[in-house]
Amino acid sequence: MSADEPRERRMAENEALAREVNERVGDVAAAWYGENEQLEFVCECSFDDCSARVRLRMAEYSRVRSSPQWFVVVPDHFAPEIEREIDRIGDYVLVEKIGVARDVADETA
């Protein structure tokens, strides 16, 4: 275990919690909103005090959820020690978890 692994695991667990919140938002919103309406999701970053919001259509968020290692964050919340950028969705960054964060993403999917 590396010296940074406990910190990276905590960061990844914060992201997994945000993903869980967003999945519930998506489940409820699917019944209430049209496909092209933007919904407000929480930033799926590793910062435990983040209050940033990400506005996406359900199809865009479904793309994020198509892989258990993918998360969406605001650009200045990108954490290169636990993720890599794979794309942009509008103003937001689609990231893929790496290392221990990938393990946590898989465990919590």
Side-chain angles (χ1 to χ4, degrees):
M1 178 186 306
S2 75
D4 292 330
E5 190 170 318
R7 178 181 169 275
E8 292 170 357
R9 179 166 283 282
R10 278 192 310 278
M11 292 171 72
E13 288 169 349
N14 288 341
E15 294 167 332
L17 179 59
R19 174 177 59 191
E20 184 178 330
V21 168
N22 283 341
E23 287 174 346
R24 290 176 191 224
V25 167
D27 289 345
V28 171
W32 291 89
Y33 295 92
E35 275 184 30
N36 292 320
E37 289 184 74
Q38 285 191 328
L39 305 171
E40 194 170 90
F41 296 93
V42 297
C43 176
E44 297 178 336
C45 74
S46 61
F47 304 133
D48 58 0
D49 60 346
C50 177
S51 62
R53 297 293 183 256
V54 176
R55 295 188 54 80
L56 300 172
R57 291 176 183 80
M58 275 307 299
E60 293 168 324
Y61 190 70
S62 292
R63 178 178 174 226
V64 174
R65 289 285 61 85
S66 69
S67 170
Q69 296 90 25
W70 290 3
F71 292 75
V72 63
V73 300
V74 297
D76 58 338
H77 291 189
F78 174 66
E81 64 270 28
I82 62 167
E83 59 202 11
R84 67 181 183 93
E85 180 177 336
I86 57 172
D87 202 359
R88 293 280 176 138
I89 301 176
D91 294 333
Y92 310 108
V93 181
L94 179 61
V95 299
E96 181 176 51
K97 297 304 159 199
I98 57 174
V100 69
R102 186 179 186 94
D103 296 338
V104 172
D106 287 338
E107 291 165 8
T108 59

